[in-house]
Coordinates of all heavy atoms in Angstrom, one line a residue:
Q40 N 19.1 -14.0 -4.0 CA 19.3 -12.9 -4.8 C 19.8 -13.4 -6.2 O 19.4 -12.8 -7.3 CB 20.4 -12.0 -4.2 CG 19.9 -11.2 -3.1 CD 19.3 -9.9 -3.5 OE1 19.5 -9.4 -4.7 NE2 18.4 -9.2 -2.7
F44 N 18.9 -12.6 -10.5 CA 20.0 -12.2 -11.5 C 20.0 -13.1 -12.7 O 20.2 -12.7 -13.8 CB 21.4 -12.2 -10.8 CG 21.7 -10.9 -9.9 CD1 21.8 -11.0 -8.7 CD2 21.6 -9.6 -10.6 CE1 22.1 -9.8 -7.9 CE2 21.8 -8.6 -9.9 CZ 22.1 -8.7 -8.6
C285 N 19.1 5.4 -12.2 CA 20.3 5.3 -11.2 C 19.7 4.7 -9.8 O 20.5 4.1 -9.2 CB 20.9 6.6 -11.0 SG 20.3 7.7 -9.8
V286 N 18.5 5.1 -9.5 CA 17.9 4.5 -8.3 C 17.8 3.0 -8.4 O 18.2 2.4 -7.4 CB 16.6 5.3 -7.9 CG1 15.9 4.6 -6.8 CG2 16.8 6.7 -7.6
G287 N 17.3 2.6 -9.4 CA 17.2 1.1 -9.6 C 18.5 0.5 -9.6 O 18.6 -0.6 -8.9
V288 N 19.5 0.9 -10.3 CA 20.9 0.4 -10.2 C 21.4 0.3 -8.8 O 22.0 -0.6 -8.4 CB 21.7 1.0 -11.2 CG1 23.2 0.3 -11.1 CG2 21.2 0.7 -12.6
S289 N 21.4 1.6 -8.2 CA 21.9 1.7 -6.9 C 21.2 0.8 -5.8 O 22.0 0.3 -5.0 CB 21.9 3.2 -6.4 OG 22.5 3.5 -5.2
N290 N 20.0 0.8 -5.9 CA 19.3 -0.1 -5.0 C 19.6 -1.6 -5.2 O 19.6 -2.4 -4.1 CB 17.7 0.1 -5.1 CG 17.3 1.5 -4.4 OD1 18.0 2.1 -3.8 ND2 16.0 1.8 -4.8
K291 N 19.9 -1.9 -6.4 CA 20.2 -3.3 -6.6 C 21.7 -3.6 -5.9 O 21.8 -4.6 -5.2 CB 20.5 -3.6 -8.2 CG 20.7 -5.1 -8.5 CD 20.9 -5.2 -10.0 CE 19.5 -4.9 -10.6 NZ 18.6 -6.1 -10.4
V292 N 22.5 -2.6 -5.9 CA 23.8 -2.8 -5.3 C 23.7 -2.8 -3.8 O 24.2 -3.7 -3.1 CB 24.8 -1.5 -5.6 CG1 26.1 -1.8 -4.8 CG2 25.2 -1.7 -7.2
T293 N 22.9 -1.8 -3.3 CA 22.7 -1.8 -1.7 C 21.9 -2.9 -1.3 O 22.1 -3.5 -0.2 CB 22.0 -0.5 -1.4 OG1 20.7 -0.4 -2.2 CG2 22.7 0.7 -1.6
G294 N 21.1 -3.6 -2.1 CA 20.3 -4.8 -1.8 C 21.2 -5.9 -1.6 O 21.2 -6.7 -0.6
I295 N 22.3 -6.0 -2.4 CA 23.3 -7.1 -2.2 C 24.2 -6.8 -1.0 O 24.5 -7.7 -0.2 CB 24.2 -7.1 -3.5 CG1 23.5 -7.5 -4.8 CG2 25.5 -8.1 -3.4 CD1 24.3 -7.3 -6.0
F296 N 24.6 -5.6 -0.8 CA 25.4 -5.4 0.3 C 24.7 -5.3 1.7 O 25.3 -5.7 2.8 CB 26.0 -3.9 0.3 CG 27.1 -3.8 -0.7 CD1 27.7 -2.5 -1.1 CD2 27.7 -4.8 -1.4 CE1 28.7 -2.3 -2.0 CE2 28.7 -4.7 -2.3 CZ 29.2 -3.4 -2.6
M297 N 23.4 -5.2 1.7 CA 22.5 -5.3 2.8 C 22.2 -6.8 3.2 O 21.5 -7.1 4.2 CB 21.3 -4.6 2.9 CG 21.4 -3.0 2.9 SD 19.9 -2.1 2.7 CE 20.5 -0.4 2.8
L298 N 22.6 -7.8 2.4 CA 22.5 -9.1 2.8 C 23.1 -9.6 4.1 O 22.5 -10.5 4.8 CB 23.0 -10.1 1.7 CG 22.3 -10.0 0.3 CD1 23.1 -11.0 -0.7 CD2 20.9 -10.5 0.4
L341 N 31.4 -2.5 3.8 CA 30.7 -2.5 2.5 C 30.3 -1.1 2.0 O 30.3 -0.6 0.9 CB 29.5 -3.5 2.5 CG 29.9 -4.8 2.7 CD1 28.7 -5.8 2.8 CD2 30.8 -5.3 1.4
F345 N 31.5 1.2 -1.2 CA 30.6 1.8 -2.1 C 30.8 3.3 -2.3 O 30.7 3.8 -3.3 CB 29.1 1.4 -1.6 CG 28.1 1.6 -2.8 CD1 28.5 1.7 -4.1 CD2 26.7 1.6 -2.6 CE1 27.6 1.7 -5.2 CE2 25.8 1.8 -3.5 CZ 26.2 1.9 -4.9
P349 N 32.0 4.3 -6.2 CA 30.7 4.2 -6.7 C 30.5 4.0 -8.2 O 29.8 3.2 -8.7 CB 30.1 5.5 -6.2 CG 31.2 6.4 -6.1 CD 32.4 5.6 -5.6
I352 N 31.6 0.4 -9.3 CA 30.6 -0.6 -8.9 C 29.2 -0.5 -9.7 O 28.7 -1.4 -10.2 CB 30.3 -0.4 -7.4 CG1 31.5 -0.9 -6.6 CG2 29.1 -1.4 -6.9 CD1 31.4 -0.6 -5.1
L353 N 28.9 0.8 -9.9 CA 27.6 1.0 -10.7 C 27.9 0.7 -12.1 O 26.9 0.1 -12.9 CB 27.2 2.5 -10.6 CG 26.7 3.0 -9.3 CD1 26.5 4.5 -9.2 CD2 25.4 2.3 -8.8
G354 N 29.1 0.7 -12.5 CA 29.5 0.4 -14.0 C 29.3 -1.0 -14.2 O 29.2 -1.5 -15.5
I355 N 29.3 -1.8 -13.3 CA 29.1 -3.4 -13.5 C 27.7 -3.6 -14.0 O 27.4 -4.5 -14.8 CB 29.3 -4.1 -12.2 CG1 30.7 -3.9 -11.7 CG2 29.0 -5.6 -12.2 CD1 30.9 -4.5 -10.3
F356 N 26.7 -2.7 -13.7 CA 25.3 -3.0 -14.1 C 24.9 -2.1 -15.2 O 23.9 -2.4 -15.7 CB 24.4 -2.7 -12.8 CG 24.7 -3.6 -11.7 CD1 25.6 -3.2 -10.7 CD2 24.0 -4.8 -11.4 CE1 25.8 -4.1 -9.5 CE2 24.4 -5.7 -10.6 CZ 25.3 -5.4 -9.5
T370 N 24.7 7.8 -4.5 CA 25.5 7.0 -3.4 C 26.2 7.8 -2.4 O 26.3 7.3 -1.3 CB 26.6 6.2 -4.4 OG1 25.9 5.4 -5.3 CG2 27.3 5.3 -3.4
I377 N 23.7 1.6 4.3 CA 24.0 0.3 4.4 C 24.5 -0.1 5.8 O 24.2 -1.2 6.4 CB 25.1 -0.1 3.4 CG1 24.6 0.1 2.0 CG2 25.7 -1.6 3.5 CD1 25.8 0.1 0.8

Side-chain angles (χ1 to χ4, degrees):
Q40 282 276 339
F44 279 121
C285 88
V286 170
V288 174
S289 181
N290 285 346
K291 188 180 290 290
V292 175
T293 54
I295 296 171
F296 284 173
M297 286 180 182
L298 290 179
L341 294 172
F345 200 16
I352 294 173
L353 294 172
I355 296 172
F356 298 92
T370 299
I377 297 171

